[in-house]
Amino acid sequence: MSRDTSTRRGARAQRPSSGGRWRGWLRHHRAMALDSARRLLRHSLSSLLTMLAIAIALVLPAGLWLTLDGARLLDAELDESATLTVYLQERVGDAEAGRIVEALAAHDGVADTRLITADEGMAEFQQALGLEDALARLPGNPLPASVVIRPDDPSPAAVKRLAGGLEDMAGVEEVRLDLAWLERLGQLAELGRRVGLGLAVLFGLGVLLVVGNTVRLAVENRRQEIEVVTLIGATHAFVRRPFLYSGAWYGLGGGALACLLLTLGGNWLATPIAALAASYGAGFTLPGLGFAGSAILLGCSTLLGWLGAWIAVSRHLAQIRPR
Amino acid sequence: MIAFEHVGKRYGGRFEALANLDFRVRRGEMVFLTGHSGAGKSSLLRLLMRLERPSRGRILVAGHDIDRLHHSQVPFYRRQIGVVFQDHQLLFDRSIYHNVALPLEIQGAEPREAARRVRAALDKVGLLHREKALPIELSGGEQQRVGIARAVVNKPSLLLADEPTGNLDPQLSADIMRLFEDFHRIGTTVMIASHDLALIARLRHRTLRLSEGRLVADEEAS
Ligand SMILES: Nc1ncnc2c1ncn2[C@@H]1O[C@H](COP(=O)(O)OP(=O)(O)OP(=O)(O)O)[C@@H](O)[C@H]1O
Ligand SMILES: [Mg+2]
């Protein structure tokens, strides 16, 4: 009987305190993070290829996102230049035109007005089109005077409402707004956003598959080890841990490569994009990832790698039963 | 410590590997399990490790019905049992030291304490000088002793061994049995499956004899 109690005491003494267990848990995390990194480095070429596959899957949606980000900046710039053109009736003389401009300037929602007299309009027209000769042959000036108005609120709906109000004013022939292409640009941006989101989901799934497949092979290679540690009391979490870390490392590496590719690609495309934008008179530049963007990309890719590993290991662990 | 209550085990629904086993093992007892090949010795030990579950009956270990353990509790149950496997189950890409340290690593033991215990266990089986070697560089008997060191490194209260002297020469077999007797002497409950009837007879411990899955003899030490 005395033997009994000593055994029981022995059994109790070996159980670590909760603080000790916590420290042991942290220690295992650190050990597995290092161990899985070491394993990746040992097969550096195949690890690099896996990371490259992840990077390629990330570059496309991230690149599209950056482009859209650039388009949004451009959008803001265009909103600034959203204007209405109020054409005055032909019979309106210069003096009356001045009065109308004052009335327009006093109208609700009008930020700024600029009168273009019939003559100025003609001159601008000729200059823009280079048709001096043909227009000079016309008997009189067919253009009416016009007022360019900058609205307070550049949103398409507000501009439309403002136009409706101005149309009823005395001496106003017609109000024109250049909203159609602004709206079209907005729709394009929305389309781009959706395509971007769809691609992000699709390629995110691709990353899961790439990591999942790599980790599945790793699990298969270490099957015996998994069986043995399960036999002597390892929890699923313990068995999973090294694989989760390698998944996270793959994701992190892939994310870093993607950042690199995006920066290189951005630099490569910067010159032609600037030239193209300049020819349209817009100052469009492809924005870089920046610190926050890089951090988000790295975070997402690491998380995806971890998740891919988790799915692969969990699916596999269910099949591994120690003999 | 161990109680089998009318335990039966069928594989694949019809083949009856164990039938109506009913016996108890007291805490601190040392028991041999014998029987012809295929009698069900390994099956019985696998039931105790909860690698298999009984088709009928209950198995109580330290008063708990191990069939009712939630699967998340099973690892913690296994940590209290030291097992020496018929085929060693060593990891061939790790040194002897790290093989023996594995159960402590799983439990998150403090490294300095772990090192002390690993060395003590290796010393006990006489392999302290080979701690840096890989299992592949060891003979079968030495590998078996590494397996024993790993089984006892966290001082389990129950020690199971499946053919620990499987294909060893008589001298080595006797040495290894003496090791188990040492653990028995410090209060560990020990259960050993073995073919080696001559050796068992000399050691004078309780012996359970299985035949075709049935308990045909339960002989107390004389
Ligand atoms: N997983 C399994 N599936 C089906 N049958 C099994 C399984 N494991 C064992 N058996 C059968 O159960 C019977 C008992 O096997 P067990 O391994 O327990 O015998 P043993 O006494 O350990 O034999 P040995 O001395 O050869 O190791 C055998 O007939 C075997 O074929
Ligand atoms: Mg067997």
Side-chain angles (χ1 to χ4, degrees):
Chain A
M1 264 297 101
S2 64
R3 195 183 269 169
D4 277 10
T5 48
S6 73
T7 325
R8 220 170 298 143
R9 210 178 302 129
R12 200 167 303 152
Q14 81 193 36
R15 211 152 296 151
S17 66
S18 80
R21 212 177 303 154
W22 171 245
R23 247 174 288 130
W25 182 83
L26 272 183
R27 195 161 38 234
H28 189 245
H29 267 275
R30 202 168 35 212
M32 287 304 103
L34 288 176
D35 180 66
S36 56
R38 233 174 279 132
R39 276 171 200 270
L40 256 60
L41 288 176
R42 209 177 305 150
H43 307 282
S44 47
L45 185 64
S46 65
S47 306
L48 196 68
L49 288 178
T50 303
M51 288 175 187
L52 203 59
I54 295 169
I56 290 168
L58 290 172
V59 158
L60 211 63
L64 193 67
W65 184 76
L66 281 182
T67 313
L68 288 174
D69 208 35
R72 209 176 55 237
L73 294 178
L74 185 64
D75 220 25
E77 194 178 292
L78 289 171
D79 275 349
E80 281 290 296
S81 63
T83 54
L84 302 91
T85 308
V86 176
Y87 291 97
L88 303 185
Q89 285 164 357
E90 248 175 273
R91 56 165 181 80
V92 171
D94 282 356
E96 204 186 342
R99 249 177 291 121
I100 294 175
V101 168
E102 272 167 37
L104 284 171
H107 195 278
D108 253 5
V110 174
D112 201 17
T113 58
R114 183 164 64 90
L115 175 68
I116 299 170
T117 63
D119 291 344
E120 283 168 354
M122 193 56 171
E124 228 173 71
F125 194 49
Q126 281 176 345
Q127 213 182 357
L129 295 180
L131 291 175
E132 283 97 340
D133 297 346
L135 291 172
R137 256 179 267 130
L138 289 172
N141 184 352
L143 295 178
S146 60
V147 184
V148 176
I149 290 179
R150 197 164 58 78
D152 279 335
D153 181 354
S155 74
V159 173
K160 251 183 214 160
R161 220 177 312 115
L162 180 61
L166 298 179
E167 216 143 34
D168 299 335
M169 289 177 65
V172 171
E173 173 76 35
E174 195 187 354
V175 180
R176 283 253 180 94
L177 27 148
D178 290 337
L179 279 178
W181 72 277
L182 257 186
E183 280 175 342
R184 224 171 280 149
L185 194 70
Q187 282 155 1
L188 267 178
E190 174 63 22
L191 182 68
R193 258 188 290 280
R194 290 198 182 183
V195 170
L197 198 67
L199 281 181
V201 170
L202 224 68
F203 283 82
L205 225 63
V207 172
L208 286 186
L209 288 178
V210 169
V211 175
N213 199 46
T214 310
V215 168
R216 191 180 59 77
L217 291 175
V219 170
E220 201 48 59
N221 281 335
R222 294 172 71 181
R223 192 188 188 98
Q224 198 239 348
E225 181 181 345
I226 293 174
E227 286 176 3
V228 171
V229 296
T230 309
L231 280 175
I232 58 182
T235 56
H236 274 4
F238 182 94
V239 172
R240 240 186 245 127
R241 205 161 291 146
F243 300 107
L244 296 187
Y245 270 106
S246 46
W249 288 128
Y250 280 129
L252 188 65
L257 275 178
C259 286
L260 187 72
L261 286 177
L262 283 170
T263 310
L264 290 178
N267 286 340
W268 190 52
L269 295 177
T271 320
I273 285 179
L276 192 65
S279 78
Y280 280 98
F284 179 79
T285 49
L286 208 56
L289 262 181
F291 180 74
S294 309
I296 290 174
L297 185 59
L298 289 178
C300 285
S301 63
T302 308
L303 205 68
L304 277 175
W306 180 89
L307 191 64
W310 199 89
I311 294 170
V313 181
S314 298
R315 267 181 47 87
H316 231 61
L317 273 186
Q319 296 167 11
I320 295 183
R321 293 192 68 236
R323 274 167 289 115
Chain B
M1 185 69 182
I2 302 172
F4 273 61
E5 296 180 351
H6 306 286
V7 173
K9 175 66 187 173
R10 283 169 189 275
Y11 287 112
R14 22 178 211 92
F15 179 76
E16 203 158 41
L18 294 171
N20 200 27
L21 288 182
D22 204 70
F23 64 89
R24 270 155 209 281
V25 175
R26 287 184 306 279
R27 192 180 289 277
E29 210 173 354
M30 180 151 172
V31 182
F32 282 114
L33 198 59
T34 67
H36 60 88
S37 180
K41 304 181 293 293
S42 298
S43 298
L44 193 156
L45 294 180
R46 289 173 64 82
L47 283 175
L48 265 177
M49 291 172 65
R50 207 176 181 280
L51 287 169
E52 304 285 354
R53 299 169 80 155
S55 315
R56 63 176 61 176
R58 297 200 301 166
I59 302 171
L60 303 176
V61 176
H64 297 288
D65 182 349
I66 61 169
D67 197 37
R68 302 177 101 166
L69 286 174
H70 189 263
H71 68 86
S72 63
Q73 294 174 303
V74 171
F76 299 94
Y77 167 70
R78 288 197 188 133
R79 289 176 194 181
Q80 303 183 5
I81 308 177
V83 185
V84 181
F85 298 94
Q86 197 162 2
D87 47 358
H88 320 327
Q89 300 275 18
L90 300 180
L91 295 181
F92 285 90
D93 60 345
R94 296 185 192 214
S95 67
I96 300 311
Y97 177 92
H98 286 291
N99 265 286
V100 176
L102 205 55
L104 300 174
E105 196 187 308
I106 287 171
Q107 291 174 14
E110 203 267 316
R112 217 167 316 136
E113 167 72 2
R116 198 183 59 71
R117 287 217 217 148
V118 170
R119 301 243 155 75
L122 280 174
D123 193 26
K124 189 102 191 84
V125 299
L127 284 175
L128 192 50
H129 62 292
R130 304 301 309 266
E131 66 172 10
K132 294 206 174 65
L134 290 172
I136 204 84
E137 303 165 21
L138 265 53
S139 73
E142 287 171 326
Q143 289 184 13
Q144 191 63 278
R145 273 142 68 195
V146 174
I148 295 172
R150 186 183 66 188
V152 300
V153 75
N154 59 350
K155 300 185 199 139
S157 45
L158 175 59
L159 187 56
L160 305 178
D162 197 352
E163 312 276 3
T165 59
N167 33 28
L168 305 181
D169 63 66
Q171 176 59 46
L172 207 52
S173 301
D175 285 351
I176 282 180
M177 285 305 181
R178 214 162 295 129
L179 265 176
F180 284 113
E181 285 190 308
D182 286 346
F183 291 111
H184 161 60
R185 218 161 285 129
I186 59 167
T188 311
T189 311
V190 184
M191 196 162 187
I192 304 170
S194 177
H195 281 300
D196 198 340
L197 295 176
L199 184 59
I200 291 172
R202 251 186 292 130
L203 289 171
R204 300 172 179 276
H205 291 285
R206 182 178 167 196
T207 304
L208 300 174
R209 181 167 298 121
L210 292 178
S211 177
E212 287 172 357
R214 286 165 199 283
L215 188 60
V216 292
D218 184 348
E219 294 146 4
E220 281 298 333
S222 44

